Amino acid sequence: MILNKNLEPITSMLIISALMLKVFTTIYHVLIITLLVMLDCHTDYAKILKAFYKGTEYQEMIEQAGYVLENSQKLMQDIYDMDQILHQMCSKLFKITKKLKTQEEQREEARVAYDHYRNKLQKMEKTHAKSTEAKKIDVYKRNVEKFNKSKSEFDTENSKLDKLMEQIQIKGEVIIDQICIRFTCEVESKFFIQLNKSFKKLEIIEQQMTEISQY
Ligand SMILES: *[C@@H]1O[C@H](CO)[C@@H](O)[C@H](O)[C@H]1NC(C)=O
Ligand SMILES: *[C@@H]1O[C@H](CO)[C@@H](O)[C@H](O)[C@H]1NC(C)=O
């Protein structure tokens, strides 16, 4: 249990980390959209070429190039899905960080009350607890009750805050995991390898077209 300690730096750090994750996923989102638009332009261009070369000796090759580009677009779906997942996870994380600020304030209020009765009781140990005056003993008892109540309230608020911070940490770790493992290994590398293969295929088609034009 953390007592008398200002938790604001810790919670602020958690919120900043969540924000950074949000910024990262937003950049990622923009990148995905740009790639999607780029591939869309290419497939549109392939359609124009297909119409243009219809009935010529290039027709078959242009059609093949169109298929290659369409396949690349399917690859984008994987990355796009990943983008959606990251976005949803970040939204959930943000909902918790909002709760965190409120909970931090509630804990602070409970801490102030708890500290107040703790100090008061400490002083009363000497003046009231061992007193022979019934009135003083009565006052002491009432303060013990108040102290007990404030202590249990503080414990409750503290454990609520602990749970929220733990949730943020776990959710943040899951997002980082998703970015590092799923995005980098699965999506990014898979995507680039596949795209590289597509470009190789396009190069071969281009070569065939050049050969035809040389006849
Ligand atoms: C206050 O709490 C202590 C233990 O935490 C208990 O022994 C005591 O009876 C409680 N007193 C009152 C007045 O609630
Ligand atoms: C693409 O594949 C070729 C081999 O087919 C390889 O030499 C090249 O490094 C690859 N490029 C990327 C960016 O992976």
Side-chain angles (χ1 to χ4, degrees):
M1 182 173 51
I2 308 159
L3 186 63
N4 270 334
K5 195 168 167 189
N6 194 354
L7 280 178
E8 219 177 293
I10 302 172
T11 53
S12 299
M13 225 172 69
L14 278 174
I15 291 168
I16 290 168
S17 308
L19 255 169
M20 273 163 63
L21 280 178
K22 176 90 187 150
V23 168
F24 185 86
T25 49
T26 306
I27 293 170
Y28 177 59
H29 178 75
V30 172
L31 193 80
I32 293 306
I33 298 300
T34 315
L35 278 173
L36 271 179
V37 170
M38 202 179 79
L39 269 175
D40 256 355
C41 290
H42 278 87
T43 36
D44 281 349
Y45 184 56
K47 275 180 201 148
I48 294 168
L49 285 181
K50 200 170 143 188
F52 190 75
Y53 286 109
K54 204 172 177 196
T56 71
E57 62 262 63
Y58 295 122
Q59 184 180 335
E60 204 191 317
M61 286 152 204
I62 294 294
E63 270 171 12
Q64 275 174 18
Y67 294 142
V68 172
L69 283 168
E70 268 169 35
N71 278 334
S72 309
Q73 213 163 23
K74 275 179 205 142
L75 280 176
M76 288 304 296
Q77 193 60 45
D78 281 351
I79 296 192
Y80 188 72
D81 289 347
M82 184 72 215
D83 180 46
Q84 297 288 311
I85 291 167
L86 281 178
H87 181 74
Q88 279 166 13
M89 289 196 303
C90 270
S91 300
K92 277 184 195 156
L93 185 64
F94 259 66
K95 273 186 195 146
I96 304 175
T97 54
K98 271 183 196 151
K99 279 189 204 160
L100 186 70
K101 268 285 153 214
T102 321
Q103 188 51 43
E104 191 186 343
E105 281 160 20
Q106 281 175 11
R107 178 208 182 261
E108 183 57 13
E109 271 175 34
R111 186 194 64 79
V112 169
Y114 175 44
D115 270 358
H116 169 76
Y117 287 112
R118 202 162 50 102
N119 287 328
K120 198 172 171 188
L121 219 57
Q122 249 173 10
K123 283 174 195 152
M124 283 184 151
E125 298 277 348
K126 292 168 201 144
T127 56
H128 289 62
K130 289 172 190 115
S131 173
T132 45
E133 285 175 50
K135 202 183 159 200
K136 277 192 175 176
I137 299 224
D138 199 43
V139 169
Y140 179 74
K141 265 188 193 161
R142 262 188 285 131
N143 274 284
V144 170
E145 270 169 36
K146 282 178 186 168
F147 167 78
N148 279 6
K149 192 166 165 273
S150 72
K151 185 182 182 320
S152 87
E153 274 170 11
F154 175 69
D155 286 347
T156 309
E157 296 303 327
N158 214 27
S159 80
K160 274 193 208 164
L161 189 70
D162 271 355
K163 272 196 195 113
L164 279 179
M165 293 208 287
E166 201 181 289
Q167 275 180 20
I168 291 175
Q169 195 195 347
I170 291 169
K171 285 203 189 309
E173 276 169 6
V174 170
I175 294 176
I176 292 167
D177 249 29
Q178 291 286 316
I179 290 171
C180 293
I181 297 168
R182 262 190 76 181
F183 168 62
T184 312
C185 297
E186 278 185 33
V187 185
E188 196 184 36
S189 62
K190 197 169 94 185
F191 176 74
F192 282 114
I193 290 167
Q194 291 292 319
L195 213 62
N196 195 2
K197 279 185 190 160
S198 298
F199 280 127
K200 277 274 163 319
K201 283 184 199 160
L202 287 177
E203 259 176 44
I204 294 167
I205 294 168
E206 196 189 354
Q207 265 170 16
Q208 287 172 343
M209 288 174 78
T210 321
E211 277 162 21
I212 288 178
S213 72
Q214 280 163 358
Y215 287 131

